[in-house]
Amino acid sequence: MDIENRFVRLEEFAAVTGERLARIEARLDQTATKADLSDLRAELRAEIHRSANETIRWIVGMGIGLGVAGITIITFVLNNATPKVPPAPGAPITIYTQPAPATAQAPGSAAPQQP
């Protein structure tokens, strides 16, 4: 009887072990393999590079935009910082006519004087 008892216990153990093995195999079907992890790693690297390139484009674009906006604002402020004063009107043009010069006579050519 001892052998039959052992045999029954071994069959029960085999049944329990079979159930446990079936659960383990079901879990193994859901776990990732090396190939799955390699594909996932490649996808993640591509996504990281894509997002890094997009971030760089945004930063460069924003830098250029802010630079242009800053230059525009500075130009506007500097052009309008002081009020525009119209140029002062010049003095009116006045023309003065010069009197005709008196004819000067030479000292020895004076008219003879009568005694």
Side-chain angles (χ1 to χ4, degrees):
M1 287 233 200
D2 193 29
I3 292 180
E4 283 184 30
N5 192 17
R6 285 182 76 185
F7 187 70
V8 170
R9 284 180 30 207
L10 282 175
E11 284 180 353
E12 289 174 1
F13 178 73
V16 171
T17 305
E19 290 173 12
R20 291 178 69 191
L21 183 60
R23 280 188 270 145
I24 290 172
E25 286 177 348
R27 283 187 187 169
L28 284 178
D29 290 339
Q30 297 173 358
T31 58
T33 62
K34 283 187 178 182
D36 293 338
L37 293 177
S38 176
D39 292 342
L40 181 62
R41 184 177 184 193
E43 289 175 15
L44 286 175
R45 279 188 173 199
E47 182 65 30
I48 288 171
H49 286 292
R50 207 173 307 120
S51 65
N53 288 337
E54 185 176 325
T55 302
I56 290 170
R57 284 187 198 130
W58 269 98
I59 290 173
V60 169
M62 291 299 288
I64 290 172
L66 288 174
V68 168
I71 289 172
T72 302
I73 291 170
I74 289 172
T75 303
F76 178 77
V77 167
L78 291 177
N79 284 338
N80 297 314
T82 57
K84 302 283 187 222
V85 178
I93 299 174
T94 307
I95 300 175
Y96 294 105
T97 58
Q98 295 292 328
T103 55
Q105 295 180 346
S109 64
Q113 292 182 346
Q114 292 188 358

